[in-house]
Amino acid sequence: MAAKATKYVFVTGGVLSGLGKGITAASIGKLLKDRGLRVNLQKCDPYLNVDAGLLNPREHGECFVTKDGAETDLDLGHYERFVDEEMTSTSSLMSGRVLLKLIQDERAGKFGGDDVQIIPHLTGAIQDWIMKAGEGFDVHIVEIGGTVGDYESLAFIEAIRELGVRVGLENCVYVHVVYLPYLGASNETKTKPAQNSVRELRGLGIAPDVLVGRSEKLANNGVKQKLSLFSGVAEDAIALLPNAHSIYEVPLTLEDSGIGDVINRHLGFKTTRPDLKEWRNVVKQATAHYDKEVSVAFVAKYLDNTDTYMSVFEALKAAAWSNNCSVTINWIDASKFDGPKADIGHVLEGHDGIVVPGGFGTRSLEGKIKAAQYALAHKVPYLGLCLGLQMAVIAAAREAGLIDATTFELNPQAEHQVITTMSDQKDKLMTGGTMRLGDYRCQLEPGSLAAQLYGKMDIVERHRHRGECNNDYLEQFATWGIQASGINPDRKLVEVIEGIDHPFFLASQFHPEFKSRPNRPHPLFAGFIRALN
Ligand code: GLN
């Protein structure tokens, strides 16, 4: 029997960027998965980059790594957390990736003398990537980055229009997310920009089936009527999404608006409404008031955009809820403490715990090493993530007297590079997509804190790094007061270190935050927050 054809949900945005299209797509995914459907998601990004690996995380937000090692947009993190499925590289499509392949095909003579054009070749190639990602799923949800009308997203918009014709419009739902500004002076929510955006989308050949109206405050129902009248979208296919206390409320709001059913019906599925009981509990935890609060000093480089550390923050919050407390995250600019005389102790003082997240480059490294030294000396709970492990090892070595211990990033010529470039990473000229990326195994040391937290010995976690513990120093670890409690069995790389005589000093070379879920916090984060209570 032939496999059933995949159906599609396309999510576009209008009026403004940053409306939460990713969260809307993820929420729709959750509502369809909970109806028993097999769901995949995909983010199409108009950037000419091939992937998100070389984008500045300060501006673009975190680089989310999939299990198969793709460096992707942070929206994939939302998809994973909401839908609770692990995405793969097919779920992230940037223009550069499609163009690179298209041009390579042209060079290989695959077009047999034809002109190679935006339409049909580029738009056709985009469709092929989308259909490939959707293969084997009941529904494939495709989010188009940017805002309708942007010059650079035109090829994607045209591609999803053509795809609708190719697979039949009855197999596609077009969801358009728009902004509804509120005018305080007249106490009104305005619909004109949204009307214009729908008109623009129609002008590009796409008639939206569902509208999601984002606003600061809840708009009244008259707004739905008006939007429906001017956009031609049925009133019951319009959801109003005012700012929520927690992003995890969005699936519930959409379900309560009936959008799950509208999409379900349009695509011809005969599934019933999900009860969303577990998710309601997540929202309850995320919005509850807790008597107990713990504080974390977040010692990082970029301080002005929470998106930069999205998965880490979500993991910390979920870990706090599971420990029946809330967490206050105080950002500390580590680069202010890079100078030899700068004392980070006075800003760390009073915090229940310290987190050093991942990072690249030289700026802020000395400040982070000092933070780890402080955690060791004052027995303050410490959680290090990737770079945070590397800084922790240097801190332990320095505390034990090896004062010129350092890392390849600070000084590639240094004598005591306790953190060094991995052998297969040396002299790499191409920096895009060449790190040690994605899932690798790790064996934990029986009886270690890490093994206790995981409750098992063999784990698989996601990676993104070039540097590693220098195994020449492994035997000195005990004299530095740390142990390697997790090792990659294939290459003997250190994956986890922990303090020997310390209440909680734990760091991983991998990124546990990517596998944390709002309803299932990662054990390392849960254990860290527990240690602060
Ligand atoms: N810059 C370090 C390395 O490449 C750490 C990477 C990270 O924190 N993701 O090894």
Side-chain angles (χ1 to χ4, degrees), residues 30-31 34 248-249 251-253 255-256 273-287 519:
K30 160 105 196 126
L31 298 181
D34 281 19
Y248 299 116
E249 286 176 38
L252 302 183
T253 314
E255 183 62 27
D256 292 346
R273 291 188 95 157
D275 73 1
L276 296 167
K277 212 160 125 206
E278 201 189 352
W279 201 258
R280 284 185 205 283
N281 199 37
V282 167
V283 173
K284 211 161 122 198
Q285 287 187 319
T287 53
N519 50 347

Side-chain angles (χ1 to χ4, degrees), residues 357-361 385-388 390 408-409 419 422 435 464-468 509 511:
F360 293 85
L385 309 168
C386 201
L387 181 72
Q390 301 176 353
F408 70 105
E409 276 179 306
I419 302 298
M422 277 179 280
M435 280 188 254
R464 183 174 186 244
H465 61 124
R466 279 184 216 289
E468 240 315 310
Q509 188 57 78
H511 289 271

Side-chain angles (χ1 to χ4, degrees), residues 334-344 364-368 370:
S335 61
K336 281 201 188 138
F337 303 94
D338 277 343
K341 295 225 169 64
D343 167 33
I344 200 168
S364 85
L365 294 193
E366 289 293 350
K368 289 172 184 167
K370 285 180 193 165

Side-chain angles (χ1 to χ4, degrees), residues 194-484:
Q195 294 174 33
N196 288 339
S197 176
V198 172
R199 189 171 308 131
E200 190 148 20
L201 190 61
R202 283 183 183 279
L204 296 169
I206 294 175
D209 303 296
V210 171
L211 282 187
V212 174
R214 282 280 294 111
S215 57
E216 302 284 313
K217 292 180 158 195
L218 179 61
N220 64 33
N221 262 340
V223 165
K224 260 196 193 183
Q225 279 170 7
K226 201 163 173 187
L227 265 180
S228 174
L229 183 67
F230 285 97
S231 67
V233 176
E235 243 179 271
D236 70 350
I238 300 177
L240 298 178
L241 267 190
N243 282 354
H245 294 293
S246 157
I247 52 172
Y248 299 116
E249 286 176 38
V250 176
L252 302 183
T253 314
L254 287 181
E255 183 62 27
D256 292 346
S257 324
I259 293 305
D261 280 344
V262 168
I263 295 175
N264 200 43
R265 232 182 297 127
H266 185 111
L267 296 178
F269 294 119
K270 305 226 165 0
T271 57
T272 48
R273 291 188 95 157
D275 73 1
L276 296 167
K277 212 160 125 206
E278 201 189 352
W279 201 258
R280 284 185 205 283
N281 199 37
V282 167
V283 173
K284 211 161 122 198
Q285 287 187 319
T287 53
H289 172 79
Y290 295 95
D291 293 333
K292 178 129 189 71
E293 182 185 317
V294 294
S295 64
V296 167
F298 191 76
V299 184
K301 179 157 72 171
Y302 302 116
L303 298 176
D304 42 12
N305 183 357
T306 43
D307 283 2
T308 308
Y309 304 102
M310 176 71 80
S311 294
V312 181
F313 286 2
E314 291 308 311
L316 282 170
K317 285 192 270 177
W321 307 332
S322 74
N323 278 294
N324 215 9
C325 65
S326 63
V327 55
T328 304
I329 301 168
N330 292 320
W331 293 31
I332 291 167
D333 181 353
S335 61
K336 281 201 188 138
F337 303 94
D338 277 343
K341 295 225 169 64
D343 167 33
I344 200 168
H346 69 279
V347 291
L348 294 176
E349 221 176 326
H351 287 96
D352 299 315
I354 298 170
V355 172
V356 175
F360 293 85
T362 54
R363 192 165 62 83
S364 85
L365 294 193
E366 289 293 350
K368 289 172 184 167
I369 295 167
K370 285 180 193 165
Q373 284 181 272
Y374 179 92
L376 281 170
H378 295 82
K379 303 232 185 286
V380 178
Y382 175 94
L383 181 65
L385 309 168
C386 201
L387 181 72
L389 173 141
Q390 301 176 353
M391 301 300 99
V393 171
I394 298 169
R398 288 188 186 176
E399 284 289 290
L402 191 63
I403 47 165
D404 56 351
T406 191
T407 168
F408 70 105
E409 276 179 306
L410 275 173
N411 182 358
Q413 263 75 51
E415 186 189 351
H416 292 300
Q417 271 182 63
V418 299
I419 302 298
T420 187
T421 321
M422 277 179 280
S423 54
D424 60 343
Q425 292 286 334
K426 289 199 165 79
D427 306 319
K428 267 201 178 148
L429 295 176
M430 299 287 267
T431 50
T434 57
M435 280 188 254
R436 181 171 180 248
L437 291 165
D439 271 359
Y440 286 100
R441 285 171 56 211
C442 166
Q443 259 161 14
L444 299 174
E445 183 65 26
S448 63
L449 174 60
Q452 281 169 36
L453 294 175
Y454 275 98
K456 56 183 175 185
M457 297 303 163
D458 285 305
I459 56 163
V460 173
E461 292 279 3
R462 298 189 207 164
H463 299 71
R464 183 174 186 244
H465 61 124
R466 279 184 216 289
E468 240 315 310
C469 286
N470 184 342
N471 281 354
D472 292 349
Y473 292 88
L474 215 49
E475 282 180 4
Q476 295 183 43
F477 272 24
T479 62
W480 298 349
I482 55 172
Q483 64 159 329

Side-chain angles (χ1 to χ4, degrees), residues 45 160 164 166-167 190 194 197 223 259 345 387 478 520 522:
D45 255 311
I160 61 168
R166 188 159 155 188
V167 301
K190 308 301 281 184
S197 176
V223 165
I259 293 305
L387 181 72
R520 219 173 42 252
H522 191 284

